[in-house]
């Protein structure tokens, strides 16, 4: 299969707008679960407002949250796909710029030193692009994540020592969730990276934070910690928007990587309740959005 | 738990009457402000021609459409999606905002800290919590963008919105040292050790 770069650019544009407008179905279901379990009156009222916001966005064709985020594109290219890598990167950038201009999106991207906003949602090394490969024949999957700053500012990395054990990593997660309180727009998905190097560990936390609800870590030890921490964070009582209640998080997700004998890294990355992401898959049969 | 309807601008007595847990609906005017706006106004001493005395500011940088200037869009911007950002980043500006500009109310999400609570008590201010991320809904409470200053900072300019009934908003911090956020934080801190103790290997 030859990847049609023009078509790919259109999809990269559309995915940005779709991600901003359409809350994924797993998050909608997650809200219904939290509404059933919430015991705080304030917490329930806030969850109801969040659900109402999703309905208003659908009715008015508006975006869910004003934060258009820092754009991230994850591309996974299957076997038997012919493509020009440089053209693919350029198409993502053009798609991102076009979404910003054609839909009047707020550009939330600035130069890190001068703070100049080019009004294109692009800048040095942004959009952030991750390219990976797998053995699915003739398939290209693109995931777009507009990562909002309120939750992204709730990112932490700690290079713990092997003697600290896994317990220190668990304490680190709980203490960071407490420290963040309401400022990361709870209910959240708490993404946790365990292992790897410092850069990989942080990346894993983001992968975990943007994984669909009810998906489970592929490693059984990781899955066990997910369940344990998911229960624990909702016993803290932080609640929606940090105003008290059970619904601090939809879930804690954990992703693992092997690490060095002398290292024990843990990272936290938060996904807010407006947990936006959109995906498209290219196959010889056409393009499917989800 | 009382409900208050405040026509902006408002005075110190009206603000001192607010208590945490009360709800508020704002009417007439609201000003959008955030990180870069505050950095330029106070760290770089840039002055605004807009009068904020007795007014409410909301922590926001809006999505807007550029449109021709008209009665509906006096400065050529139409609101498209306006929502609220995390307030805590702007903690160090509250006192200056109240002292120099006369601001009385901050609308934001996530709450603010001790410096803000102290400024509220001394000068008569309050924090109104809005549901962060519920921007599509919030936008329906805004009628027009009537003015904008510090435009070179777009979208982090100083925005003046004409609002219809804006709220209900929850009084999260008041002028009497009350903070719902601090109350929850105290409860959470008290539960922390028990939650940690319930985790395997984490004690």
């Amino acid at each position: 299969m030859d990847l049609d770069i023009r078509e790919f650019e259109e999809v990269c544009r559309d995915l940005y707008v779709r991600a901003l407008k359409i809350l994924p179905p797993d998050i909608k279901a997650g809200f219904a679960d939290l509404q059933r379990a919430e015991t705080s009156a304030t917490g329930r009222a806030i969850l109801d407002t969040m659900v109402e916001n999703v309905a208003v966005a659908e009715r008015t064709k508006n975006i869910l949250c004003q934060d258009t985020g820092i754009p991230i594109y994850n591309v996974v290219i299957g076997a038997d796909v012919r493509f020009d890598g440089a053209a693919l990167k350029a198409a993502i950038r053009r798609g991102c710029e076009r979404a910003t201009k054609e839909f009047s999106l707020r550009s939330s991207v600035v130069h890190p030193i001068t703070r100049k906003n080019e009004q294109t949602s692009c800048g040095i090394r942004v959009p952030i692009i991750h390219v990976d490969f797998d053995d699915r024949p003739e398939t290209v999957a693109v995931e777009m994540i507009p990562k909002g700053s309120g939750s992204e500012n709730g990112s932490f990395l700690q290079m713990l020592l092997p003697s600290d054990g896994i317990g220190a990593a668990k304490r680190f997660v709980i203490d960071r969730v407490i420290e963040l309180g309401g400022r990361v727009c709870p209910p959240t998905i708490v993404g946790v990276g365990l292992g790897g190097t410092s850069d990989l560990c942080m990346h894993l936390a983001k992968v975990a934070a943007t994984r669909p609800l009810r998906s489970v870590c592929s490693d059984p030890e990781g899955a066990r910690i997910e369940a344990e921490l998911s229960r624990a964070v909702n016993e803290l009582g932080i609640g929606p928007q940090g105003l008290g209640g059970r619904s601090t998080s939809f879930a804690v997700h954990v992703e693992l990587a092997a690490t060095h004998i002398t290292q024990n890294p843990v990272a936290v990355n938060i996904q807010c309740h407006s947990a936006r992401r959109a995906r498209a898959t290219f196959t010889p049969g056409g393009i499917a959005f989800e | 738990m009382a409900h208050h309807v405040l026509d902006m601008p408002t005075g110190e007595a009206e603000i001192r009457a607010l208590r945490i847990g009360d709800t508020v609906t704002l009417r007439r005017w609201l000003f959008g402000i955030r990180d870069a706006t505050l950095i330029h106004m106070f760290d770089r001493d840039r002055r605004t021609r807009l009068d904020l005395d007795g007014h409410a500011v909301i922590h926001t940088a809006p999505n807007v459409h550029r449109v021709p200037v008209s009665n509906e869009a006096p400065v050529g911007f139409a609101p498209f999606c306006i929502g609220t950002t995390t307030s805590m980043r702007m903690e160090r500006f509250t006192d200056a905002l109240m002292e120099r500009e006369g601001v009385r109310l901050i609308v934001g999400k996530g709450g603010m800290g001790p410096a803000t609570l102290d400024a509220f008590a001394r000068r008569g201010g309050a924090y109104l919590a809005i549901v962060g991320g519920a921007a599509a809904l919030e936008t329906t409470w805004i009628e027009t963008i009537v003015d904008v200053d510090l435009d070179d900072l777009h979208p982090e300019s100083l925005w003046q919105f004409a609002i219809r009934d804006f709220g209900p908003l929850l009084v999260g911090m008041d002028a009497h040292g009350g903070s719902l956020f601090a109350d929850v934080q105290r409860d959470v801190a008290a539960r922390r050790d028990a939650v940690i103790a319930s985790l395997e290997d984490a004690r």
Side-chain angles (χ1 to χ4, degrees), chain A residues 233-249:
Chain A
V233 294
N234 286 342
E235 286 172 5
L236 291 168
I238 296 166
Q241 297 287 303
L243 286 163
R246 279 197 56 79
S247 312
T248 304
S249 297

Side-chain angles (χ1 to χ4, degrees), chain A residues 2-269:
Chain A
D2 284 308
L3 183 65
D4 180 336
I5 284 294
R6 259 172 208 284
E7 204 169 57
F8 187 76
E9 177 184 322
E10 290 294 319
V11 167
C12 287
R13 182 196 70 144
D14 294 350
L15 280 176
Y16 196 171
V17 180
R18 289 176 75 98
L20 291 171
K21 286 188 172 182
I22 305 166
L23 194 69
D26 59 297
I27 306 293
K28 280 190 177 178
F31 267 118
D33 291 344
L34 292 183
Q35 282 175 306
R36 273 192 294 277
E38 183 57 66
T39 50
S40 147
T42 307
R44 271 202 307 272
I46 293 170
L47 291 175
D48 290 349
T49 302
M50 289 168 174
V51 170
E52 186 187 353
N53 182 62
V54 176
V56 171
E58 281 173 9
R59 193 169 70 237
T60 59
K61 299 188 170 26
N62 206 340
I63 62 177
L64 292 154
C65 174
Q66 84 290 346
D67 192 347
T68 50
I70 194 148
I72 304 172
Y73 288 84
N74 298 320
V75 187
V76 182
I77 298 165
D80 308 320
V81 177
R82 283 174 299 278
F83 70 101
D84 172 341
L88 180 124
K89 280 176 75 173
I92 292 173
R93 193 180 184 93
R94 274 198 310 273
C96 187
E97 281 177 357
R98 283 182 52 206
T100 307
K101 288 186 174 157
E102 291 169 22
F103 293 89
S104 256
L105 301 177
R106 183 185 96 186
S107 170
S108 307
V109 175
V110 294
H111 186 283
I113 298 167
T114 66
R115 310 301 293 183
K116 186 173 169 16
N117 189 329
E118 300 293 345
Q119 311 296 346
T120 58
S121 299
C122 296
I124 303 169
R125 295 198 164 103
V126 172
I128 296 163
I129 301 171
H130 298 291
V131 179
D132 202 355
F133 302 93
D134 69 11
D135 55 7
R136 279 179 298 175
E138 304 198 279
T139 303
V140 177
V142 199
E143 181 179 53
M144 197 284 159
I145 297 166
K147 190 67 177 69
S149 82
S151 59
E152 183 68 8
N153 276 342
S155 303
F156 302 92
L157 173 74
Q158 181 75 49
M159 301 304 284
L160 293 166
L161 301 176
S163 64
D164 295 324
I166 189 65
K170 292 178 187 174
R171 283 199 300 275
F172 181 79
V173 173
I174 296 293
D175 285 335
R176 296 296 76 75
V177 170
I178 291 174
E179 180 183 335
L180 292 170
R183 74 181 81 155
V184 285
C185 262
T188 60
I189 301 172
V190 181
V192 177
L194 290 174
T197 50
S198 59
D199 53 338
L200 178 57
C201 191
M202 204 65 245
H203 177 68
L204 291 173
K206 171 75 51 61
V207 170
T210 51
R211 232 178 57 203
L213 287 176
R214 294 190 179 159
S215 62
V216 176
C217 179
S218 57
D219 180 276
E221 290 301 317
R224 216 157 49 82
I225 293 174
E226 277 181 346
E228 194 184 18
L229 289 176
S230 292
R231 170 191 58 75
V233 294
N234 286 342
E235 286 172 5
L236 291 168
I238 296 166
Q241 297 287 303
L243 286 163
R246 279 197 56 79
S247 312
T248 304
S249 297
F250 294 107
V252 178
H253 289 169
V254 175
E255 288 292 318
L256 309 183
T259 191
H260 193 280
I261 47 175
T262 64
Q263 289 170 3
N264 184 17
V266 54
V268 170
N269 181 255

Side-chain angles (χ1 to χ4, degrees), chain B residues 1-2 17-23 117 127 170-181 183:
Chain B
M1 307 286 170
L18 304 176
R19 299 278 172 169
I20 50 170
D22 288 356
T23 50
L117 206 55
Y127 181 88
L170 181 66
V171 179
M173 299 165 71
D174 63 23
H176 312 282
S179 166
L180 291 177
F181 299 94
D183 292 350

